[in-house]
Amino acid sequence: MHKTLPRSFLLGFVLKSTLIFAGGALSTAALFFLFRGEPGTSYVDSYKLLAELNHVLVNRSLILFSFSLLLSLAGIIVLAIVYSHRVAGALHMLGMHTRRIASGDLTRTVRLRNTDVVHELAGDFNKLSDHYKGLLVQLEVKTRELSVSINSLEMQPPGEGDPGSSGRLSEKVTEIRELLDQIKL
């Protein structure tokens, strides 16, 4: 079933709305008349006072908003500088260490703050540097042993050489090659 509104509904709605609006306007006028304040204060003077208060309120709100905005921007800039230093400074240190490794200097380690973003990467660089340092020390020891063996062979007169000395030399050369294979990147 389809219900329709009675014809009198629209007329009643308009009359009730008009009565409510008129009652509100009359009560507002009565309140203004009763609480008009000082004698001689007119509605125009009250309106001017409200306009002036509105102007002062808007100006102070703008000042407060501007101060808050500047303070927020300053905080954002400070945080950006601090965090960029944590990243860029740490990457700069890693770059310096990489250049040292490339030039053959394996004596230094990278030291970063625990709060730096790439702190773990610095630890990995230090492990890599230590590993290569150990391989280079082993290579140096094997090279000295090979040099001593070659010198002892050269000191012997021709024909009196130890038949096992060439086998020892080839073993030492093989050990050196294995170490060099580990060093290759």
Side-chain angles (χ1 to χ4, degrees), residues 16 21-22 27 29 50 55 87 91 93 115 122 156 158 170 181 184:
K16 287 179 185 175
F21 179 74
S27 62
L50 284 176
H55 181 70
V87 173
L91 289 177
M93 291 295 291
T115 57
Q156 293 179 359
S170 66
D181 286 340
K184 289 181 184 176

Side-chain angles (χ1 to χ4, degrees), residues 20-121:
I20 290 174
F21 179 74
L26 285 175
S27 62
T28 302
L31 285 174
F32 273 129
F33 181 74
L34 291 175
F35 298 109
R36 62 182 165 185
E38 302 173 11
T41 304
S42 68
Y43 178 74
V44 173
D45 291 337
S46 298
Y47 182 75
K48 286 180 183 177
L49 178 65
L50 284 176
E52 186 178 319
L53 288 175
N54 184 28
H55 181 70
V56 169
L57 183 63
V58 167
N59 284 342
R60 289 192 180 167
S61 295
L62 284 175
I63 290 170
L64 183 63
F65 174 74
S66 300
F67 180 72
S68 299
L69 180 66
L70 288 176
L71 192 61
S72 298
L73 285 175
I76 289 170
I77 290 171
V78 166
L79 287 175
I81 289 170
V82 167
Y83 282 109
S84 68
H85 177 70
R86 284 187 178 174
V87 173
L91 289 177
H92 177 72
M93 291 295 291
L94 286 175
M96 285 180 20
H97 188 67
T98 303
R99 287 188 288 281
R100 285 183 189 139
I101 288 175
S103 69
D105 182 11
L106 299 173
T107 59
R108 297 185 187 177
T109 59
V110 180
R111 292 193 179 114
L112 298 178
R113 297 175 295 254
N114 289 337
T115 57
D116 284 337
V117 176
V118 292
H119 181 71
E120 291 181 25
L121 185 59

